[in-house]
């Protein structure tokens, strides 16, 4: 699992604050290592400068705050995990560096002006080449530790779970199709004049869309506002005729177009208006995550989700066990509650 999966921005665009001097003001500390106010301010300015004019003036205050938050969060995560990895005896080898560089360059290869070598990336890093190299190394050692911890976890048969989930999804889809087909058969028995009323009744009782409260009415819309499959039916269906079941990413629909508004060409000061329709629908949902998915896709998604959950819990546990202190009220929100309690207990101890 690479560092991106670990949720740690330690490579492209990484923003990790360094340590300042004793004359500066520490705002937060992790296991005795201080994050200085001047470091945060310098990093914020460097990132804003790198962004150039891409940040609208009216958003700069908000963006500045977001960058500052990321600096502090990244400092905490990196400080805790690097210390934990080194304490456990993990080291970075030349083979590790080459593998990470190859992986990283491949991942960013489609980006505009992507560096061709890792050295080029280091030189372009907005916070300086030295920081880039440090964060590159830290990313590797953290990743090695996380992989080692994951290897200790009980093995999971993702293929078996994927097959079970696909079987459930297929059964649910079969039930959804059966239900929507039965609703269509019921509507087919209704007289034309009574159809709008009956459709609205069935929509209120059966549709999984919020429009059910309006009898399935979606109001007027132009081409392209709905998903393709729904759009095609709504614009070609005769008024007050119920469609055959339509499958979309949301499930199965019965569509009834209730009004058609033709396009109007521009005339004088009056602008042109596009073609519109008004339609109602009944939706029976299916599991969109599994519908149409292959066994390999479901298996990979399960594995990726499991890895994300593992890393999230691992990082949270590591942070909770670290000694984190905030020296400024504005930064206390970054101190985990468990760290605050540990600090309180430590302060209460009486030397023997």
């Amino acid at each position: 699992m690479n560092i991106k999966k670990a949720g740690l921005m330690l490579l492209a665009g990484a923003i990790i604050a360094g340590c300042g001097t004793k004359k500066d003001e520490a705002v937060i500390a992790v296991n005795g290592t201080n994050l200085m106010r001047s470091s945060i301010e310098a990093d914020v300015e460097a990132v804003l400068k790198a962004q150039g004019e891409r940040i609208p003036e009216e958003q700069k205050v908000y963006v500045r705050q977001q960058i500052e938050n990321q600096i502090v969060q990244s400092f905490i995560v990196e400080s805790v995990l690097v210390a934990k990895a080194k304490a456990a005896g993990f080291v970075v080898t030349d083979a590790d560096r080459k593998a990470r560089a190859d992986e990283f360059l491949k991942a960013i290869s489609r980006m505009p002006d992507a560096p061709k070598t890792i050295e080029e990336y280091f030189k372009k890093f907005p916070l300086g080449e030295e920081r880039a190299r440090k964060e590159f190394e830290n990313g590797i050692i953290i990743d090695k530790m996380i992989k080692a911890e994951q290897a200790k976890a009980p093995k999971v048969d993702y293929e078996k779970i994927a097959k079970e989930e696909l079987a459930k999804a297929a059964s649910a889809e079969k039930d959804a199709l059966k239900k929507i087909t039965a609703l269509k058969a019921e509507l087919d028995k209704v007289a034309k004049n009574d159809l709008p009323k009956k459709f609205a009744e069935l929509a209120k009782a059966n549709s999984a869309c919020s429009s059910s409260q309006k009898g399935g009415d979606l109001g007027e819309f132009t081409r392209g506002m709905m998903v393709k499959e729904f759009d095609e039916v709504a614009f070609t269906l005769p008024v007050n005729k119920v469609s055959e079941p339509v499958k979309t990413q949301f499930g199965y629909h019965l569509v009834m177009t209730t009004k058609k508004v033709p396009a109007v060409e521009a005339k004088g000061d009056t602008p042109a208006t596009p073609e519109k329709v008004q339609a109602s629908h009944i939706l029976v949902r299916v599991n969109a995550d599994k519908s149409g998915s292959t066994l390999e896709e479901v298996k990979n998604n399960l594995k990726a989700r499991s890895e994300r959950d593992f890393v999230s819990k691992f990082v949270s546990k590591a942070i909770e066990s670290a000694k984190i202190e905030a020296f400024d009220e504005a930064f206390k929100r970054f101190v985990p509650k468990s760290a605050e309690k540990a600090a309180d207990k430590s302060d209460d101890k009486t030397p023997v």
Side-chain angles (χ1 to χ4, degrees):
M1 191 195 75
N2 59 37
I3 205 66
K4 182 178 178 183
K5 290 181 181 177
L8 306 175
M9 301 299 289
L10 301 180
L11 291 176
I15 311 168
I16 309 297
C19 300
T21 64
K22 291 183 178 179
K23 294 180 180 179
D24 200 0
E25 180 186 18
V27 296
I28 200 164
V30 177
N31 294 329
T33 300
N34 292 334
L35 172 61
M36 314 305 291
R37 189 177 300 280
S38 63
S39 295
I40 297 176
E41 292 172 352
D43 285 356
V44 169
E45 293 306 320
V47 174
L48 288 174
K49 183 178 179 181
Q51 292 294 318
E53 298 178 356
R54 284 177 285 182
I55 304 173
E57 191 64 37
E58 65 274 13
Q59 294 182 17
K60 282 188 176 179
V61 173
Y62 171 77
V63 172
R64 181 182 289 274
Q65 183 62 57
Q66 293 305 302
I67 295 170
E68 182 178 290
N69 289 345
Q70 188 176 357
I71 289 169
V72 177
Q73 291 168 346
S74 297
F75 170 77
I76 293 171
V77 172
E78 184 185 14
S79 298
V80 170
L81 295 185
V82 169
K84 188 176 181 68
K86 289 181 177 179
F90 289 96
V91 295
V92 179
T93 67
D94 287 340
D96 295 330
R97 294 183 183 96
K98 184 180 185 310
R100 175 53 60 87
D102 291 344
E103 178 186 24
F104 176 58
L105 292 171
K106 181 179 179 181
I108 65 170
S109 60
R110 294 186 179 182
M111 293 173 60
D113 301 320
K116 298 295 187 291
T117 67
I118 198 67
E119 291 297 325
E120 182 185 348
Y121 163 73
F122 290 155
K123 288 179 169 57
K124 289 182 175 180
F125 192 67
L127 302 181
E129 184 177 347
E130 184 179 347
R131 282 276 287 283
R133 292 182 184 279
K134 176 186 174 184
E135 290 164 17
F136 182 76
E137 296 278 314
N138 286 345
I140 295 172
I141 198 170
I142 291 172
D143 200 28
K144 288 186 74 171
M145 175 178 63
I146 289 175
K147 284 180 178 178
E149 289 298 320
Q150 283 184 314
K152 299 175 186 176
K155 300 300 179 184
V156 178
D157 190 343
Y158 292 108
E159 184 161 338
K160 179 183 177 183
I161 298 172
K163 286 179 179 178
E164 291 172 352
E165 291 201 1
L166 282 172
K168 289 178 183 177
S171 177
E173 184 161 344
K174 184 179 178 180
D175 291 344
L177 181 57
K178 182 178 179 181
K179 181 176 180 179
I180 204 79
T181 302
L183 291 171
K184 175 66 165 67
E186 188 172 349
L187 288 167
D188 285 343
K189 298 175 184 177
V190 178
K192 186 176 181 180
N193 290 341
D194 297 329
L195 194 56
K197 181 181 178 181
K198 185 63 176 179
F199 192 96
E201 289 175 359
L202 290 180
K204 286 181 180 179
N206 297 279
S207 184
C209 178
S210 58
S211 65
S212 64
Q213 299 307 307
K214 298 179 180 179
D217 184 19
L218 295 168
E220 291 185 359
F221 52 90
T222 58
R223 288 185 182 274
M225 290 180 67
M226 302 294 179
V227 291
K228 183 181 178 182
E229 302 89 345
F230 192 101
D231 224 34
E232 289 176 353
V233 172
F235 279 89
T236 57
L237 199 66
V239 171
N240 288 342
K241 180 176 174 62
V242 180
S243 73
E244 295 298 319
V246 179
K247 186 180 179 183
T248 72
Q249 66 195 66
F250 304 105
Y252 287 99
H253 310 252
L254 291 179
V255 183
M256 184 173 70
T257 301
T258 54
K259 183 171 72 172
K260 292 192 173 185
V261 182
V264 177
E265 294 182 1
K267 189 174 182 180
D269 295 334
T270 304
T273 57
E275 178 187 13
K276 298 178 184 177
V277 297
Q278 183 169 346
S280 296
H281 80 135
I282 299 171
L283 169 64
V284 178
R285 289 194 184 276
V286 296
N287 190 337
D289 291 339
K290 305 295 184 298
S291 181
S293 298
T294 66
L295 175 62
E296 197 65 23
E297 288 170 340
V298 176
K299 186 170 70 173
N300 289 340
N301 287 337
L302 285 168
K303 187 177 180 181
R305 186 168 67 234
S306 177
E307 288 179 345
R308 288 195 299 271
D309 290 344
F310 178 91
V311 171
S312 178
K313 290 175 183 176
F314 179 82
V315 173
S316 295
K317 187 175 179 180
I319 290 174
E320 286 171 2
S321 63
K323 183 181 179 182
I324 303 174
E325 303 168 278
F327 309 117
D328 185 308
E329 192 67 33
F331 293 89
K332 285 190 175 179
R333 67 185 186 278
F334 294 105
V335 179
K337 295 297 182 184
S338 57
E340 288 180 353
K341 290 178 182 177
D344 290 342
K345 287 181 181 178
S346 178
D347 292 340
D348 290 340
K349 288 182 180 178
T350 303
V352 179

